[in-house]
Amino acid sequence: MSERSIDIDLTRSSSGQVVKERIYKWLLFACAALTVFVTVAIIYTLARDALTFFSMVPPAEFFTETEWFVRGDGGNFGVWPLVTATLIITVVSAMVAVPTGVAAAVYLSEYASDRMRSVLKPSLEILAGIPTVVYGYLALVYLTPALQAIGIPVGTFNLLSASIMVGIMIIPMVSSLSEDAMTSVPDSLRQAGYGMGATKYEVSTGIVIPAAVSGIFSSFILALSRAIGETMIVVMAAGLRPRMFDFSNPLNNLLSSGQPMTAGMVNAVTSDATGGSATYLSMFALGLTLFVITFAMNLASDFVAARYQEEYQ
């Protein structure tokens, strides 16, 4: 084969490779652009219909009133009963998921053998694959009667059962992300601790966890964002009766029913309200409020991760 033929073949091969690379580039760009487009479309839809709602219901009433009561196409639209119920579920679920998830992550990262980790980690992550409607059913049918059996005076629908079950649901997210953060800590830091006479527990709590704190905190925020947006568990277990937080008897808030923001959205869309009414459009106002809360939490997560992120050589 002559040198001219070889040059022609190389040129054709190079041109074909350039065309393929351009196709790959634009395909990947289209995928990235699609995700951005979907996000912008969701925000636009929420904002448009929320503005229509606020043209019917003054924003001052929505954000300051303490009574949420909808009937047909009208009612009282004070969002605070729904916000307080959402915050109660988020805080209590965090009290369940954060210590349990971090403890599981420490065991998987520092104590478990490779064989044990290969069994336990997939088993733990199976929890993330269980449909949330199943969690709601378990909370209503099994967890609530169990709490009543041990003497806790909860009603049939209550925030405590919903909070515990939401906490169980987000444990895999906390444990998996925290374990990944701990695994990324260099072994040289562990060996330095062992060289100074530290025990495995002291190395885990005094070296590994502080070194992985940015990733652990990010897992907390992401898990809590998931808890705030949970729907089926709270609809089935918490009830649909909005209650303002009772500061005179805080414990009673957990033992009685409540209506979180996601449950309020479900109630608005499944009620007999006509499309375009204030009751129907309240779903979009609640959705936009929920979006702002979770977006703020994600911004806080990014800030903390960037602020305390450790770089290892």
Side-chain angles (χ1 to χ4, degrees):
M1 184 180 294
S2 65
E3 293 183 2
R4 180 179 178 82
S5 298
I6 294 175
D7 292 340
I8 293 175
D9 290 340
L10 290 175
T11 301
R12 290 176 177 174
S13 177
S14 177
S15 299
Q17 189 68 26
V18 170
V19 172
K20 288 181 180 180
E21 288 296 325
R22 288 179 178 176
I23 293 174
Y24 296 150
K25 173 185 175 181
W26 287 107
L27 283 175
L28 295 174
F29 173 78
C31 293
L34 178 62
T35 60
V36 174
F37 172 77
V38 170
T39 302
V40 172
I42 291 174
I43 296 174
Y44 170 76
T45 302
L46 286 176
R48 182 193 62 188
D49 292 319
L51 289 176
T52 304
F53 169 80
F54 288 127
S55 68
M56 302 177 180
V57 178
E61 176 184 340
F62 183 77
F63 290 110
T64 60
E65 295 293 330
T66 59
E67 182 180 4
W68 182 276
F69 176 75
V70 295
R71 175 184 296 173
D73 292 337
N76 298 322
F77 297 97
V79 75
W80 280 107
L82 308 187
V83 172
T84 54
T86 300
L87 294 179
I88 289 172
I89 290 178
T90 303
V91 171
V92 177
S93 64
M95 294 172 63
V96 173
V98 168
T100 305
V102 172
V106 170
Y107 176 78
L108 291 173
S109 175
E110 306 302 316
Y111 288 86
S113 62
D114 292 338
R115 181 177 179 182
M116 185 65 70
R117 186 182 298 108
S118 65
V119 174
L120 289 180
K121 189 170 183 179
S123 300
L124 182 63
E125 291 177 347
I126 287 176
L127 291 173
I130 298 176
T132 57
V133 66
V134 176
Y135 281 114
Y137 177 82
L138 294 175
L140 178 63
V141 177
Y142 293 102
L143 182 57
T144 295
L147 294 176
Q148 293 171 341
I150 62 176
I152 300 178
V154 295
T156 302
F157 300 100
N158 61 90
L159 295 180
L160 180 59
S161 295
S163 301
I164 293 174
M165 198 56 68
V166 170
I168 293 173
M169 181 197 68
I170 63 176
I171 285 176
M173 183 177 293
V174 176
S175 62
S176 180
L177 296 177
S178 297
E179 193 265 340
D180 291 340
M182 295 177 191
T183 303
S184 66
V185 175
D187 285 337
S188 58
L189 295 181
R190 297 179 176 86
Q191 298 303 324
Y194 293 137
M196 298 182 65
T199 64
K200 183 178 287 291
Y201 176 79
E202 291 171 337
V203 169
S204 301
T205 58
I207 296 177
V208 176
I209 290 179
V213 67
S214 62
I216 294 174
F217 186 82
S218 296
S219 74
F220 295 167
I221 299 298
L222 293 175
L224 294 182
S225 298
R226 177 70 178 85
I228 289 177
E230 174 51 37
T231 303
M232 288 308 302
I233 295 177
V234 298
V235 168
M236 297 181 66
L240 295 174
R241 183 177 179 182
R243 295 175 184 267
M244 186 59 191
F245 187 85
D246 184 5
F247 290 94
S248 63
N249 189 3
L251 184 60
N252 186 58
N253 297 283
L254 275 175
L255 304 180
S256 57
S257 63
Q259 188 180 66
M261 298 176 70
T262 51
M265 295 172 66
V266 171
N267 188 44
V269 77
T270 57
S271 66
D272 57 355
T274 58
S277 65
T279 298
Y280 178 81
L281 293 173
S282 66
M283 173 181 61
F284 298 97
L286 290 173
L288 185 62
T289 305
L290 197 60
F291 171 80
V292 170
I293 293 174
T294 54
F295 182 70
M297 293 181 65
N298 289 332
L299 285 180
S301 173
D302 292 340
F303 172 78
V304 172
R307 175 66 177 79
Y308 296 101
Q309 184 175 10
E310 299 285 351
E311 295 183 0
Y312 303 106
Q313 300 295 331

